[in-house]
Coordinates of all heavy atoms in Angstrom, one line a residue:
G307 N -22.7 -15.0 10.5 CA -23.4 -15.8 11.5 C -23.6 -17.2 11.1 O -23.2 -18.1 12.0
P308 N -24.0 -17.6 9.8 CA -24.3 -19.0 9.5 C -23.1 -19.8 9.5 O -23.1 -21.1 9.5 CB -24.9 -18.9 8.1 CG -25.4 -17.4 8.0 CD -24.5 -16.6 8.8
Y309 N -21.8 -19.2 9.5 CA -20.6 -20.0 9.3 C -19.9 -20.2 10.7 O -19.0 -21.0 10.7 CB -19.7 -19.2 8.3 CG -20.3 -19.0 7.0 CD1 -20.8 -17.8 6.7 CD2 -20.2 -20.1 6.0 CE1 -21.4 -17.7 5.5 CE2 -20.9 -19.8 4.8 CZ -21.4 -18.7 4.5 OH -22.0 -18.5 3.3
L310 N -20.4 -19.7 11.7 CA -19.8 -19.7 13.0 C -20.2 -21.2 13.6 O -21.3 -21.7 13.6 CB -20.2 -18.7 14.0 CG -20.1 -17.4 13.6 CD1 -20.5 -16.3 14.7 CD2 -18.7 -17.0 13.1
I311 N -19.2 -21.9 14.1 CA -19.3 -23.2 14.7 C -18.6 -23.3 15.9 O -18.0 -22.3 16.4 CB -18.7 -24.3 13.7 CG1 -17.2 -24.1 13.5 CG2 -19.4 -24.4 12.4 CD1 -16.4 -25.3 13.0
E312 N -18.7 -24.4 16.8 CA -17.8 -24.6 17.8 C -16.7 -25.6 17.6 O -17.0 -26.4 16.8 CB -18.8 -25.1 19.0 CG -19.8 -24.0 19.4 CD -20.3 -24.0 20.9 OE1 -19.4 -24.4 21.7 OE2 -21.4 -23.8 21.1
Q313 N -15.6 -25.3 18.2 CA -14.6 -26.2 18.0 C -14.7 -27.5 18.9 O -14.8 -27.3 20.1 CB -13.2 -25.6 18.3 CG -12.0 -26.5 18.2 CD -10.7 -25.9 18.7 OE1 -10.8 -25.2 19.7 NE2 -9.6 -26.3 18.1
D314 N -14.8 -28.6 18.3 CA -15.0 -29.9 19.3 C -13.5 -30.4 19.5 O -13.1 -31.3 18.9 CB -15.8 -30.9 18.6 CG -16.1 -32.0 19.4 OD1 -15.7 -32.1 20.6 OD2 -16.8 -33.0 19.0
W315 N -12.9 -29.8 20.5 CA -11.5 -30.1 20.7 C -11.4 -31.5 21.3 O -10.3 -32.1 20.9 CB -10.9 -29.1 21.8 CG -9.3 -29.2 21.9 CD1 -8.5 -28.4 21.1 CD2 -8.7 -29.9 22.8 NE1 -7.3 -28.8 21.5 CE2 -7.3 -29.7 22.6 CE3 -9.0 -30.8 23.9 CZ2 -6.4 -30.2 23.2 CZ3 -7.9 -31.3 24.6 CH2 -6.6 -31.1 24.3
E316 N -12.2 -32.0 22.0 CA -12.1 -33.4 22.6 C -12.2 -34.3 21.4 O -11.7 -35.5 21.7 CB -13.3 -33.6 23.5 CG -13.6 -32.6 24.6 CD -12.3 -32.5 25.7 OE1 -11.6 -33.5 25.7 OE2 -12.2 -31.5 26.2
A317 N -12.7 -34.0 20.2 CA -12.8 -34.9 19.1 C -11.4 -35.2 18.4 O -11.3 -36.1 17.6 CB -13.8 -34.5 18.2
Y318 N -10.5 -34.3 18.6 CA -9.2 -34.4 18.0 C -8.6 -35.8 18.5 O -8.5 -36.1 19.7 CB -8.2 -33.4 18.2 CG -8.6 -32.1 17.5 CD1 -8.8 -30.9 18.3 CD2 -8.8 -32.0 16.1 CE1 -9.2 -29.7 17.7 CE2 -9.2 -30.8 15.6 CZ -9.3 -29.7 16.4 OH -9.7 -28.5 15.7
T319 N -7.9 -36.6 17.6 CA -7.4 -38.0 18.1 C -5.9 -37.8 18.3 O -5.3 -36.8 17.8 CB -7.6 -38.9 16.8 OG1 -6.7 -38.4 15.7 CG2 -9.1 -39.1 16.3
P320 N -5.4 -38.7 19.1 CA -3.9 -38.7 19.3 C -3.1 -38.7 18.0 O -2.1 -37.9 18.1 CB -3.7 -40.1 20.0 CG -5.0 -40.4 20.6 CD -6.2 -39.9 19.6
E321 N -3.5 -39.3 17.0 CA -2.9 -39.1 15.6 C -2.9 -37.6 15.2 O -1.8 -37.1 14.6 CB -3.7 -40.0 14.6 CG -3.4 -39.8 13.1 CD -2.0 -40.0 12.6 OE1 -1.3 -40.7 13.4 OE2 -1.6 -39.6 11.5
Q322 N -4.0 -37.0 15.3 CA -4.1 -35.6 14.9 C -3.2 -34.8 15.8 O -2.5 -33.8 15.3 CB -5.5 -35.1 15.0 CG -6.4 -35.7 13.8 CD -7.8 -35.2 13.9 OE1 -8.4 -35.4 15.0 NE2 -8.3 -34.7 12.8
H323 N -3.1 -34.9 17.1 CA -2.2 -34.2 17.9 C -0.8 -34.5 17.4 O 0.1 -33.6 17.6 CB -2.4 -34.5 19.4 CG -3.7 -33.9 19.9 ND1 -3.9 -32.6 20.1 CD2 -4.8 -34.6 20.4 CE1 -5.2 -32.5 20.6 NE2 -5.7 -33.6 20.7
G324 N -0.5 -35.8 17.0 CA 0.8 -36.1 16.6 C 1.1 -35.4 15.3 O 2.3 -34.8 15.2
V325 N 0.2 -35.2 14.4 CA 0.4 -34.5 13.1 C 0.8 -33.0 13.4 O 1.7 -32.5 12.9 CB -0.7 -34.6 12.2 CG1 -0.6 -33.6 11.1 CG2 -0.9 -36.1 11.6
W326 N -0.1 -32.4 14.4 CA 0.2 -31.1 14.8 C 1.7 -30.9 15.3 O 2.4 -29.9 15.0 CB -0.8 -30.6 15.8 CG -0.5 -29.2 16.4 CD1 0.3 -29.1 17.6 CD2 -0.9 -28.0 16.0 NE1 0.4 -27.7 17.9 CE2 -0.4 -27.1 16.9 CE3 -1.6 -27.6 15.0 CZ2 -0.5 -25.6 16.8 CZ3 -1.9 -26.1 14.8 CH2 -1.3 -25.2 15.8
R327 N 2.0 -31.9 16.2 CA 3.4 -31.8 16.9 C 4.5 -31.9 15.7 O 5.4 -31.1 15.7 CB 3.5 -33.0 17.8 CG 4.8 -33.0 18.5 CD 4.8 -34.0 19.7 NE 4.3 -35.4 19.4 CZ 3.2 -35.9 19.8 NH1 2.4 -35.4 20.6 NH2 2.9 -37.2 19.4
E328 N 4.3 -32.8 14.8 CA 5.3 -32.8 13.7 C 5.3 -31.6 12.9 O 6.4 -31.1 12.5 CB 4.9 -34.0 12.8 CG 6.1 -34.6 12.1 CD 5.9 -36.0 11.5 OE1 5.3 -36.9 12.2 OE2 6.2 -36.1 10.3
L329 N 4.2 -31.0 12.6 CA 4.1 -29.8 11.7 C 4.9 -28.7 12.5 O 5.7 -28.0 11.9 CB 2.7 -29.4 11.4 CG 1.8 -30.2 10.5 CD1 0.5 -29.9 10.5 CD2 2.4 -29.9 9.0
V330 N 4.5 -28.4 13.8 CA 5.2 -27.4 14.5 C 6.8 -27.6 14.7 O 7.6 -26.8 14.4 CB 4.5 -27.3 15.9 CG1 5.3 -26.2 16.7 CG2 3.0 -26.8 15.7
G331 N 7.0 -28.9 15.0 CA 8.4 -29.4 15.2 C 9.2 -29.1 14.0 O 10.4 -28.7 14.1

Side-chain angles (χ1 to χ4, degrees):
Y309 302 96
L310 304 184
I311 59 165
E312 296 209 36
Q313 178 191 31
D314 187 0
W315 192 84
E316 308 295 340
Y318 292 123
T319 63
E321 160 68 10
Q322 288 177 306
H323 289 294
V325 169
W326 171 271
R327 181 165 54 242
E328 205 168 312
L329 286 165
V330 176

